[in-house]
Amino acid sequence: MVPTSKSREDITIDEILERVRAYINDEDQLSVIEKAYLFAKEKHEGQFRKTGEPYIIHPMNVALILTTIYADYETISAGFLHDVLEDCDCTLEEMEEQFGKDITKLVQGVTKLSKIHFSTENDYLIDYYKKIIVGMSEDVRVIIIKLSDRLHNMRTLWAIPPDRQKVKAREALEILAPIAHHLGIHKIKSELEDLSLRYLKPDVFYDIAEKLNKTKLERDKTVYDMQQEVSNLLTEHHIPHEIKGRAKSIYSIYNKLDKGKKFSDIYDLLALRILVHTEQECYLALGIIHSKFRPLPKRFKDYIAMPKPNMYQSLHTTVFGIDGYLFEIQIRTYDMDEVAENGIASHWAYKENGGSKSTANLQSTTEQKLQFFKSIIDLSHDKMSSEDFVNSVKDEVLNNNIYVFTPKGDVIELPRGATPLDFAYKIHTKVGETTVGAIVNNSIVPLDYELKDNDIVKINTNKSSTPSKEWIHMVKATQTKNKIRSFFTKNEREVYIERGKDNLEKELRKRKLAFSDFFTEENVKKICDAIHVENLEEIYLAAGNGKATVNSIINVVDKIKESPAPKAVKVVPKNIDADIIVSGIDKVKVSLAHCCHPVYGDAIVGYITKGNGISVHRLNCHNLSMLEERTLEVTWNQNVNKRYLTCILVHTNNIENRMLDLMQSISMLNINVDGIQVMSKTDKIIYEINCYVTGLEQLEKLILSLSKNSYVEKVERTMR
Ligand code: MN
């Protein structure tokens, strides 16, 4: 069994046109596609591929692949023409005359991509990436054609010598498949991976294929039975749906085996995908399935609430299905499925037939998704060694990222091991450069704290603060390192000059003097003499690096209107929770107590700690009773919009694991869960749930909603 598609040597233009007609009905566009086919056929006449077929079979297959991701007519036309400029007797002018600028540009882009020269393996990788990025930034359709081109070449890889096979396969696996992944084009990605594995590790590939084959009958039957059961269940609950059994790719199985799992342990071998119409139905279906089939703990993932960066959305769960088999189940809407299969290319499918609008949309979406590649390429230019580059691509692009939140709930993707500094720089370089502190999940953490999935990170900045050289050792992302480095490698003199000029400008403005009126030739000379420098630039420098103060410089000329001496800079602890107003006092450190976790809306009271500012407790917190004389009145700031960590205990009345069910109810209220602790007693389970709520109102809703479950005995807020 080889689960990849074959090259189609029997393909006809009529078949391709028919497929296009399924989603493009503009006759003019269809005739351009046909014309491109005829043009390519004529130009490739007499040429043959290594497989022995007439050459035109290749561009036809490429066009066919493009129809499966609903490419627009220009892309399909360029798919037909993609090898014409390079391999045939055809000039740019001729093609432009026949097909216009847009299609020709696409073909040119693909042609450029295929001309690669390389010396070492690393340089080659870099070069390749750069070319791809350049192509992408011009028009992402170039890359989509390139991916389809390579996919067909991989399908016919048997025709070239074994050593070339391995080179091409590695290239497909290491470069093109990840790019397809980032663009979310799952179809092309997984087929490229499977085909690559087949040539890179044929023994492994065929071994897995054979094992799959051996167990196929049994699995098919089990999957079918489970499918029926689930389908009946959903029908009973009036949820319209469609269920597909789905084949895991050989490569994904190989990946798991490679991580040390046994073939028999790979649960995802049995897999179902459920398609429903609305997001709400996804969660409903999940609940219904969990009510009948016991879920495997820790395997639930909610990519609907938290989509992957390539836009993938779905619910994932693993349950004990019929006959004790484990089933990996994906639940998603039809729209989500479209995006999961075609990624970036799904933007075509939603728009009318390939107008310029959808192309622009496709392009801008891609640009957002590929910011990361771009920044690496920019930085790699001269500051990064080849090895660093390849490592950073491998580390940061290909796997292993964590997802954390801004206080507003935006998701930020960072490499595993990233610190608050990485986070700050990722938000904006300026934020990174002025970072003075970080708060993770409401606690102050050191800047080299290792962030974890789902952390809520807030960065404190101070406009006049600058990076420290130590930071390079405190960050994980190569991007961040480069940004920090570039801050320091920027000519320091320039930085000082700029700063000096800035400060002088500010002080002059304060004294109501115009900059140009002040620095006349005569005045500059006076100042130079006074502070022993040569020219205006050196005056700025002196003001910037502290050799002379701004006032002493200006006073050389403008003694009369001297402004009061600058106040000494006093370090005031930052008010980290501006959401609390302390009556009569500002600039005092305020924190929310960890014993009773007050949330917005709670009756609260402030307690003056020894040396640690004011700690805010709930009015009924038992830790406060004996400390009355050190309390003071505090109120919530109504203008602040954030989420508060709170902790509740859910007492159940039996020992069944309800974790997923609880998680689901919580997420339906749009509440972020920080963690769930399970405490088992002999006859029941108590769940301690840490979550972030917008305030008392939401918290009460949550408690009410959880209490409604028949298995819940009581729900209470914790107080330590
Ligand atoms: Mn080609």
Side-chain angles (χ1 to χ4, degrees):
M1 181 195 98
V2 177
T4 47
S5 308
K6 282 211 175 106
S7 168
R8 291 275 314 279
E9 52 271 18
D10 60 338
I11 183 80
T12 63
I13 181 65
D14 288 341
E15 186 183 339
I16 295 173
L17 286 173
E18 196 180 315
R19 286 187 191 236
V20 177
R21 257 178 232 284
Y23 65 96
I24 295 182
N25 46 32
D26 182 323
E27 286 304 322
D28 291 346
Q29 296 187 355
L30 287 160
S31 71
V32 173
I33 294 177
E34 190 166 6
K35 184 173 152 196
Y37 159 72
L38 291 170
F39 188 84
K41 189 170 174 342
E42 188 198 316
K43 290 293 179 185
H44 286 300
E45 193 64 59
Q47 293 176 351
F48 292 89
R49 299 193 86 217
K50 297 232 165 63
T51 55
E53 308 150 343
Y55 199 92
I56 189 68
I57 295 296
H58 167 62
M60 286 174 84
N61 271 280
V62 172
L64 183 72
I65 293 168
L66 287 168
T67 65
T68 66
I69 53 173
Y70 309 108
D72 63 7
Y73 83 100
E74 291 174 332
T75 310
I76 296 176
S77 305
F80 276 119
L81 299 169
H82 80 270
D83 279 333
V84 167
L85 279 183
E86 197 175 9
D87 301 343
C88 306
D89 178 26
C90 173
T91 62
L92 216 62
E93 291 72 33
E94 185 181 358
M95 188 174 287
E96 245 181 58
E97 201 183 284
Q98 294 287 324
F99 296 98
K101 272 210 157 56
D102 288 346
I103 292 177
T104 307
K105 247 183 123 180
L106 290 176
V107 177
Q108 229 183 326
V110 181
T111 310
K112 260 194 241 162
L113 266 185
S114 45
K115 285 181 183 156
I116 310 159
H117 305 283
F118 56 92
S119 44
T120 75
E121 200 176 312
N122 280 352
D123 284 351
Y124 157 63
L125 255 180
I126 294 170
D127 211 29
Y128 205 118
Y129 265 113
K130 282 187 180 164
K131 278 174 204 245
I132 283 178
I133 304 313
V134 170
M136 210 119 57
S137 50
E138 276 166 18
D139 193 329
V140 65
R141 295 178 297 174
V142 168
I143 306 304
I144 293 178
I145 298 170
K146 186 69 206 171
L147 288 170
S148 309
D149 175 37
R150 177 55 62 92
L151 179 56
H152 183 244
N153 285 336
M154 289 296 293
R155 286 177 183 171
T156 55
L157 203 62
W158 51 268
I160 67 171
D163 55 322
R164 296 287 303 148
Q165 284 175 352
K166 290 226 192 300
V167 172
K168 290 280 163 195
R170 180 157 296 122
E171 206 173 275
L173 186 63
E174 291 184 353
I175 301 169
L176 293 157
I179 285 174
H181 174 68
H182 267 260
L183 296 175
I185 310 175
H186 181 259
K187 264 181 213 159
I188 292 184
K189 173 209 165 212
S190 68
E191 195 181 335
L192 281 174
E193 286 175 344
D194 276 1
L195 284 163
S196 302
L197 187 65
R198 177 164 152 197
Y199 290 96
L200 288 173
K201 302 203 166 173
D203 44 338
V204 178
F205 178 87
Y206 287 106
D207 186 44
I208 295 173
E210 192 188 329
K211 279 185 178 135
L212 282 176
N213 216 1
K214 244 190 231 161
T215 54
K216 189 169 186 305
L217 262 184
E218 189 189 356
R219 275 185 303 122
D220 280 354
K221 166 108 178 48
T222 317
V223 170
Y224 178 79
D225 291 348
M226 180 72 176
Q227 210 168 317
Q228 288 307 107
E229 286 230 18
V230 172
S231 181
N232 291 341
L233 199 59
L234 293 179
T235 307
E236 266 170 44
H237 287 84
H238 311 290
I239 299 180
H241 63 275
E242 204 177 311
I243 303 186
K244 295 174 177 169
R246 82 198 148 81
K248 286 295 281 190
S249 81
I250 293 191
Y251 184 78
S252 68
I253 294 168
Y254 158 73
N255 241 341
K256 292 197 167 144
L257 293 175
D258 205 39
K259 285 183 187 144
K261 290 200 172 143
K262 277 196 225 120
F263 192 80
S264 54
D265 294 342
I266 299 174
Y267 354 100
D268 333 14
L269 288 181
L270 295 181
L272 291 183
R273 176 175 304 152
I274 299 170
L275 300 179
V276 293
H277 292 280
T278 66
E279 195 176 305
Q280 199 60 22
E281 284 169 353
C282 292
Y283 289 102
L284 277 175
L286 178 77
I288 291 164
I289 290 167
H290 281 171
S291 70
K292 168 113 188 216
F293 301 101
R294 218 157 107 86
L296 197 67
K298 292 193 183 156
R299 294 276 299 171
F300 171 68
K301 297 216 175 74
D302 185 347
Y303 293 118
I304 292 181
M306 209 191 297
K308 292 188 184 180
N310 65 10
M311 304 182 288
Y312 177 89
Q313 285 189 300
S314 197
L315 297 176
H316 288 190
T317 184
T318 303
V319 302
F320 294 92
I322 53 170
D323 304 335
Y325 282 99
L326 283 161
F327 278 82
E328 193 196 63
I329 298 181
Q330 300 176 340
I331 307 170
R332 54 174 84 145
T333 65
Y334 287 93
D335 287 355
M336 292 173 192
D337 194 50
E338 177 64 40
V339 174
E341 290 297 319
N342 297 327
I344 213 96
S346 64
H347 282 256
W348 269 317
Y350 288 135
K351 303 284 150 17
E352 309 110 281
N353 311 325
S356 58
K357 216 176 168 187
S358 81
T359 307
N361 191 307
L362 191 69
Q363 188 62 17
S364 84
T365 317
T366 325
E367 271 169 18
Q368 282 167 24
K369 294 296 150 199
L370 296 166
Q371 262 315 317
F372 176 78
F373 280 96
K374 277 194 177 173
S375 55
I376 279 208
I377 296 301
D378 289 349
L379 290 162
S380 74
H381 214 63
D382 39 24
K383 290 181 201 94
M384 214 193 270
S385 71
S386 303
E387 205 172 310
D388 277 355
F389 175 82
V390 172
N391 285 340
S392 70
V393 168
K394 281 194 178 143
D395 268 23
E396 293 163 31
V397 183
L398 305 187
N399 43 43
N400 228 3
N401 290 328
I402 59 165
Y403 301 94
V404 299
F405 295 97
T406 68
K408 279 187 188 154
D410 293 330
V411 182
I412 303 291
E413 184 185 15
L414 293 167
R416 197 162 290 284
T419 65
L421 281 172
D422 287 301
F423 175 90
Y425 273 95
K426 181 105 184 202
I427 300 289
H428 196 280
T429 306
K430 203 73 219 158
V431 174
E433 286 178 350
T434 54
T435 296
V436 292
I439 295 162
V440 172
N441 305 333
N442 279 355
S443 316
I444 299 177
V445 297
L447 291 179
D448 61 354
Y449 171 86
E450 185 177 330
L451 294 173
K452 287 168 201 65
D453 262 321
N454 300 332
D455 275 350
I456 298 177
V457 188
K458 181 171 181 286
I459 297 296
N460 286 331
T461 58
N462 181 324
K463 262 188 247 155
S464 54
S465 188
T466 55
S468 135
K469 280 191 175 154
E470 297 301 296
W471 285 6
I472 293 198
H473 309 292
M474 296 164 64
V475 300
K476 172 75 182 173
T478 321
Q479 267 177 301
T480 322
K481 284 188 186 161
N482 282 318
K483 284 181 181 169
I484 296 169
R485 253 182 229 134
S486 94
F487 177 86
F488 289 105
T489 51
K490 225 200 255 170
N491 194 336
E492 288 190 1
R493 186 184 153 93
E494 263 170 48
V495 175
Y496 288 133
I497 288 175
E498 208 175 296
R499 187 188 296 168
K501 191 174 174 210
D502 260 16
N503 292 344
L504 283 165
E505 261 170 352
K506 265 184 216 144
E507 182 60 29
L508 286 170
R509 222 177 295 135
K510 250 198 245 163
R511 299 195 192 190
K512 305 218 165 29
L513 292 169
F515 195 81
S516 53
D517 291 350
F518 184 82
F519 285 108
T520 58
E521 212 172 306
E522 195 192 335
N523 285 350
V524 168
K525 192 164 183 314
K526 270 191 204 162
I527 296 169
C528 284
D529 288 347
I531 65 170
H532 310 291
V533 296
E534 294 295 322
N535 53 38
L536 182 57
E537 194 176 86
E538 289 189 6
I539 294 176
Y540 296 155
L541 181 63
N545 66 14
K547 196 182 155 201
T549 68
V550 172
N551 279 310
S552 69
I553 291 170
I554 298 176
N555 288 347
V556 172
V557 180
D558 181 55
K559 276 208 177 94
I560 316 123
K561 295 176 204 159
E562 183 172 342
S563 73
K567 283 182 206 135
V569 181
K570 208 171 101 197
V571 182
V572 179
K574 274 226 144 191
N575 185 352
I576 61 161
D577 280 296
D579 41 347
I580 306 276
I581 298 166
V582 181
S583 53
I585 311 174
D586 64 26
K587 298 214 169 150
V588 61
K589 184 176 166 184
V590 175
S591 55
L592 298 173
H594 292 301
C595 50
C596 54
H597 289 300
V599 304
Y600 177 79
D602 274 326
I604 46 173
V605 62
Y607 166 65
I608 306 159
T609 65
K610 282 189 185 150
N612 201 21
I614 292 163
S615 155
V616 174
H617 294 256
R618 275 151 65 190
L619 202 53
N620 58 352
C621 178
H622 51 70
N623 292 326
L624 280 176
S625 50
M626 40 250 178
L627 308 162
E628 221 147 319
E629 71 278 12
R630 292 176 61 182
T631 58
L632 83 177
E633 199 185 319
V634 293
T635 45
W636 295 101
N637 181 353
Q638 309 211 342
N639 303 319
V640 170
N641 184 9
K642 65 169 242 184
R643 284 173 181 254
Y644 298 84
L645 180 66
T646 187
C647 180
I648 55 174
L649 291 179
V650 179
H651 299 256
T652 62
N653 54 19
N654 60 47
I655 54 162
E656 272 215 72
N657 189 334
R658 304 289 188 176
M659 176 127 73
L660 283 161
D661 197 34
L662 293 172
M663 286 279 285
Q664 194 204 341
S665 322
I666 297 168
S667 69
M668 277 172 95
L669 287 171
N670 187 25
I671 290 172
N672 301 332
V673 175
D674 185 52
I676 298 193
Q677 231 78 257
V678 181
M679 292 171 280
S680 300
K681 304 251 160 126
T682 44
D683 57 342
K684 63 176 190 177
I685 299 179
I686 301 173
Y687 300 87
E688 185 187 58
I689 302 172
N690 288 299
C691 55
Y692 286 90
V693 296
T694 52
L696 190 58
E697 199 182 332
Q698 195 182 38
L699 178 57
E700 278 171 350
K701 243 187 228 163
L702 172 66
I703 291 174
L704 188 69
S705 131
L706 295 178
S707 309
K708 278 183 188 155
N709 290 311
S710 60
Y711 57 84
V712 172
E713 208 166 65
K714 70 171 174 188
V715 184
E716 59 179 352
R717 289 177 74 179
T718 55
M719 200 175 283
R720 292 198 187 95

